[in-house]
Structures are given as C-alpha cells and as structure tokens.
C-alpha cells in the first residue's frame, strides 16, 4: 500500500514530550508538518533556526535538519556518530558523515520571475556562465555565499563547471551589477515575492536560491507561482537530518528522523512544498510535484567538489574583492 511508502522506513517510535531540532535558515517546517509528526508519533517539535552549521553546538537540540552536504562537513563535530536507523536512500550517502539521513531534494538554482522577464522583454539566461553577462548580472540577486549555505554550494557548482574561469566570472558578475547581499536584502530585492517592507522596491527578477523558495511566489490558491527554476542553472542538493551529538531526547530524535522517511513524513513534506520527496509515491498532486521537480540537467557534484567548497569561496572572494 502507498501508505507504507517505498523507502523501507520502519514504524517510528511513539512517545510524548518535545523534540528540539535545529533548522537551517529557510528550511523551517510548517505547522502542517509539525502536526503530521505529532499525530503519527505523539511527540511535538520545537524548532530553532540557525544560519550556519557551525552554530549547532550549544543550541541544546536533539536533531538537526535542512543540512546540505557541505553543511555536514562544517557541522560534523556537533553531530552524532551513530545513525538513527540503518537506512540510506540510494544515491544519498556521504562518505565520512556517519549519522546523516537524506530526506528530500531542494536543488539550488537561478530562479526567475517569469512575468517580469516577459513584461520587460528580457531573455532568460541559459546556463550558469550567462549570469556574469552584462544583460543578466544587473538583474541578479545573490545571497552572499560566505553567509548562505545554498549560495556556497552554488559557487562550488560554478567552480566545477568553470574551473579557473570562476575568478573572471565572479569579477564580471560584480562589475556587471550583480547584487551580492544578505539573505534578507536579496529576498527584498526579488520581484517574484512581495516584500514585507513598504519602502522596498524590488528590482531583481533573478535570484540564486533553493527551489523551495518558489513556494514564496505562489498565488493565494497555491496552484500557480511567479517564479521558475531555469534550465542548466541548478546544482543538485539533497537535504539531510542528523542527530545532535549532545541530544537529550535520543528517542525523540530517532522517531523524528525515522518519520521523515515514512510515507506520512514524505507526504507531509511534499504537501508543504518543503522538499521534493525521495519517495516517488508521496509526491503526486502536491506543491512539490508542481514546483520542485528537479531539473534533469542539474549539475551533480562529487564529494571532492563538495569538500572543496571552502576553496571555491576563497577563489570567489579573491576575484569579487579584487
């Protein structure tokens, strides 16, 4: 039966009380996901958002979610070393990260405001290298990769694609008018979403962001979105959960991570548009299906490229600050 799912996850442990989880910025779970977890297991969730995996230590949490592969290495010392369950979805294992568990995909792409681009008769960029062209750089909002994990992974992808040309690409993007700013400033500048600040005047129809950011551009009915991910612009990114090294509620953490891979958990994530689920049986007729289906041409990074994210950022910094 579909309700049993296809990932082979066992039935989660039942219990009561709170499971405290640290959540990477932009990956906070909706109330509907929290309620689905509580209904299935009896536990409740308490979420604490963080901007970097380096902040895990000292938060007093039981588990961590929203981690990209690059975050697993950055936060390794604060993560548990014992897997919550003996299950690794195919193609998602990361060597050297003992306790991580992938629960969905949320690729980092160039997201475009389709209506703005059409109304202003601007062509869509094709490929990562086109972002540095004068025509497109001035339309781009780019959350600072030194302070944004998805942006950092995108830079790693650009380096894998451009090699030594990354430096010139970064320099051209900045001189061409690319807006490299904080996450909040980049969001406020993106024309696909309405800014919460009345004095803001969004002017950037292109933004580097996870595909889940498309959900912020959906209509009131939730069946249409202003934004779309562009072809040849995405870097594959699985999202991972992991137990915290100093978890006080190990049972709750195990229950939560197990639940994420059940049909109930995968369906709740898909319905919330949080990730594209790993269980294909859970995605049909959900926002994840409509808006987050991964592009077939997404760039797949090997572990060497992911571990080299810091080197890619150094190359980016040298060029963009030079």
């Amino acid at each position: 039966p579909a309700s049993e799912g296809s990932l082979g996850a066992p039935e989660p442990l039942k219990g009561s009380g709170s499971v405290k989880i640290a959540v990477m910025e932009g990956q906070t779970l909706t109330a509907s996901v929290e309620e689905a977890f509580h209904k299935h297991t009896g536990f409740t969730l308490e979420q604490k958002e963080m901007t970097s995996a380096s902040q895990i230590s000292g938060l007093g949490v039981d588990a961590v979610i929203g981690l990209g592969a690059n975050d697993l290495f950055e936060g390794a010392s604060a993560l548990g070393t014992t897997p919550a369950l003996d299950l690794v979805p195919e193609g998602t294992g990361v060597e050297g990260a003992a306790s991580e568990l992938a629960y969905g995909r949320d690729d980092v792409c160039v997201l475009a405001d389709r209506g703005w681009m059409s109304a202003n008769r601007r062509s869509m960029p094709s490929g990562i290298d086109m972002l540095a062209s004068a025509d497109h750089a001035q339309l781009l909002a780019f959350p600072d990769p030194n302070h944004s994990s998805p942006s950092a992974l995108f830079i790693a992808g650009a380096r894998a694609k451009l090699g030594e040309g990354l430096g010139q690409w970064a320099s051209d993007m900045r001189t061409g008018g690319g807006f490299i700013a904080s996450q909040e400033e980049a969001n406020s500048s993106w024309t696909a979403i309405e800014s919460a600040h009345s004095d803001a005047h969004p002017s950037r129809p292109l933004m580097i962001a996870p595909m889940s950011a498309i959900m912020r551009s959906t209509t009131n009915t939730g069946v249409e979105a202003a934004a779309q991910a562009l072809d040849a612009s995405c870097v594959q990114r699985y999202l991972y959960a992991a137990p915290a090294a100093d978890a006080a509620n190990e049972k709750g953490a195990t229950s939560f991570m197990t639940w994420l891979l059940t049909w109930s958990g995968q369906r709740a994530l898909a319905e919330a548009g949080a990730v594209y689920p790993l269980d294909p049986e859970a995605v049909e007729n959900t926002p994840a299906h409509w808006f987050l289906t991964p592009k077939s041409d997404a760039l797949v990074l090997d572990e060497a490229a992911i571990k080299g994210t810091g080197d890619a950022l150094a190359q980016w910094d040298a060029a963009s600050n030079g």
Side-chain angles (χ1 to χ4, degrees), residues 69-74 94-97 152-153 156 159 301-313:
N70 50 323
D71 301 309
L72 293 175
F73 299 112
E74 182 179 352
V94 178
E95 185 177 353
L153 190 67
R159 186 192 195 204
L301 299 181
D302 59 25
E303 290 191 17
I306 294 171
K307 289 180 178 179
T309 298
D311 293 335
L313 289 178

Side-chain angles (χ1 to χ4, degrees):
S3 60
E4 292 184 4
S6 66
L7 300 179
E11 184 65 17
L13 300 170
K14 302 295 194 296
S16 61
S18 177
V19 181
K20 298 178 180 179
I21 60 173
V23 185
M24 288 294 289
E25 183 178 24
Q27 299 296 330
T28 299
L29 299 176
T30 63
S32 63
V33 176
E34 291 184 327
E35 177 57 31
F37 172 63
H38 174 67
K39 184 176 180 180
H40 197 97
T41 68
F43 291 105
T44 58
L45 286 180
E46 181 180 332
Q47 302 185 66
K48 297 181 180 182
E49 191 172 274
M50 59 184 180
T51 58
S52 168
S54 63
Q55 299 172 350
I56 299 171
S57 295
L59 286 179
V61 297
D62 304 307
V64 188
I65 64 166
L67 299 165
N70 50 323
D71 301 309
L72 293 175
F73 299 112
E74 182 179 352
S77 63
L79 302 178
T81 57
T82 303
L85 64 161
D86 186 20
L87 175 63
V88 178
E90 184 178 358
T92 67
V94 178
E95 185 177 353
S99 63
E100 92 293 338
L101 188 70
Y103 61 90
R105 270 184 72 171
D106 192 15
D107 293 356
V108 185
C109 308
V110 180
L111 304 184
D113 180 346
R114 294 179 297 176
W116 192 101
M117 296 292 281
S118 176
N120 289 275
R121 299 183 179 180
R122 303 300 290 265
S123 63
M124 297 285 194
S126 177
I128 291 174
D129 53 335
M130 289 293 291
L131 297 178
S133 70
D135 287 343
H136 297 115
Q138 62 184 315
L139 306 179
L140 180 68
F142 196 162
D144 185 348
N146 285 301
H147 302 286
S148 166
S149 172
S151 292
L153 190 67
F154 190 85
I155 290 297
R159 186 192 195 204
K161 184 175 180 63
L162 304 173
E164 291 303 314
L166 174 65
Q168 189 63 54
W169 177 82
S171 179
D172 290 346
M173 183 188 296
R174 187 176 289 275
T175 57
F179 182 51
I180 294 90
S182 68
Q183 184 70 63
E184 182 179 2
E185 290 172 321
N187 286 340
S188 296
S189 73
W190 192 32
T191 60
I193 56 177
E194 294 184 9
S195 174
H197 306 288
S198 59
D199 58 345
H201 301 285
S203 60
R204 305 278 172 159
L206 305 177
M207 186 166 76
I208 306 297
M211 289 185 74
S212 58
I214 294 173
M215 292 298 299
R216 301 204 301 271
S217 77
T218 56
T219 60
N220 290 336
T221 59
V223 296
E224 294 182 354
Q228 69 176 49
L230 298 184
D231 293 339
S233 77
C234 297
V235 178
Q236 177 181 281
R237 184 178 71 138
Y238 285 105
L239 289 187
Y240 295 86
D246 55 354
N249 186 355
E250 293 184 7
K251 178 181 177 181
T254 298
S255 179
F256 174 63
M257 292 180 62
T258 303
W259 177 78
L260 287 174
L261 293 192
T262 64
W263 186 90
S264 170
Q266 291 282 287
R267 183 68 178 183
L269 292 169
E271 289 179 337
V275 295
Y276 189 84
L278 301 181
D279 185 346
E281 297 180 0
V283 72
E284 186 177 357
N285 200 33
T286 66
H289 186 197
W290 304 329
F291 307 123
L292 309 185
T293 299
K295 295 285 187 178
S296 60
D297 59 7
L299 182 62
V300 180
L301 299 181
D302 59 25
E303 290 191 17
I306 294 171
K307 289 180 178 179
T309 298
D311 293 335
L313 289 178
Q315 191 176 350
W316 158 272
D317 287 338
S320 58
N321 297 327

